[in-house]
Amino acid sequence: SAAEYQAATLGSYAQARQQLDAALADATINALPLPEQTQGFRLLPPAIISDADETLIDNSPFQARRIRDGGDFDPATWAAWSNERKARGIPGAVASAQYAASRGVTVSYVANRGAASEYQATADNLRALGFPLAEDNSNLLLRGDPRAPGKEKGERRRFVAKNHRVVMLLGDNLGDFLDGVGGDVAARQALIAPYPDWRGSLWIMLPNPSYGSWESAVLKACAEQPGTACKREALRYD
């Protein structure tokens, strides 16, 4: 409900549209991380790769339920929520996806929901909100998709890139842009260091204060610094 959050997402998507126009005008632009890039992309049709949860669609009602009912994250209750098909659009997301489609850009949805249990419900939810989705849902790739079954998203990004020039990545988590994000805070900073000019241009990051791989990164200090030292380290990054 925060006006500040809405301003942040609307601003991010306004920036994304501007950057998309620039990328379409420059055939040399490739938004994939450097190890994933291959030759021959310049003549391919353009695509955006976007995460879904907390990037395009809002699952805060699910988070509120967990607060109300108590308990940690549970895959069964998450799957039940997904299959309700009630996630709302993030402010600015639907209009930006539709804008991309109007420019001839394929929006490929690469999300870590389960391909076996949540695929059709996710497609239905996205389509009902107005996100451009192929009739056969072929531009939706969830975790475990047989076309690119790797756990991390790099394999799915490369799958999209076989037939498209990827001009932009959108996400709310570092893993939406790079593989190998499960390290500690310092390792994650080093991982993203080679891409200072990509953030806010080729890579658009949406805010997610609720959850993400940043949580486990902070807590990795506890394995080596139990007790009070661990608490001080966690607070240093809070």
Side-chain angles (χ1 to χ4, degrees), residues 13-137:
Y13 277 112
Q15 185 176 17
R17 292 191 296 273
Q18 292 176 353
Q19 294 298 327
L20 175 61
D21 290 341
L24 293 177
D26 185 351
T28 67
I29 285 181
N30 187 330
L32 291 178
L34 296 173
E36 297 176 18
Q37 294 188 11
T38 59
Q39 299 297 318
F41 65 86
R42 297 188 182 191
L43 298 179
L44 296 175
I48 289 172
I49 296 178
S50 179
D51 175 52
D53 296 307
E54 278 53 71
T55 298
L56 301 177
I57 56 177
D58 171 17
N59 298 288
S60 57
F62 169 77
Q63 302 289 345
R65 289 181 190 179
R66 299 310 297 158
I67 294 170
R68 179 195 65 194
D69 300 337
D72 296 329
F73 175 83
D74 173 62
T77 56
W78 167 260
W81 157 255
S82 297
N83 281 281
E84 289 182 35
R85 299 161 168 83
K86 290 183 178 179
R88 302 169 295 198
I90 297 289
V94 174
S96 292
Q98 292 177 345
Y99 177 77
S102 76
R103 297 294 315 272
V105 179
T106 297
V107 181
S108 293
Y109 308 95
V110 176
N112 275 348
R113 293 184 172 200
S117 60
E118 300 173 78
Y119 191 87
Q120 190 57 53
T122 303
D124 292 346
N125 200 162
L126 290 170
R127 186 175 284 112
L129 291 170
F131 289 102
L133 200 64
E135 186 174 351
D136 62 356
N137 303 333

Side-chain angles (χ1 to χ4, degrees), residues 152 173-175 178-185 187-188 191 213-214 216-218 220:
E152 293 189 289
N173 191 289
L174 193 57
L178 295 159
D179 281 1
V181 302
D184 61 17
V185 172
R188 286 160 54 82
L191 186 65
S213 55
W214 52 268
S216 59
V218 171
K220 283 185 182 297

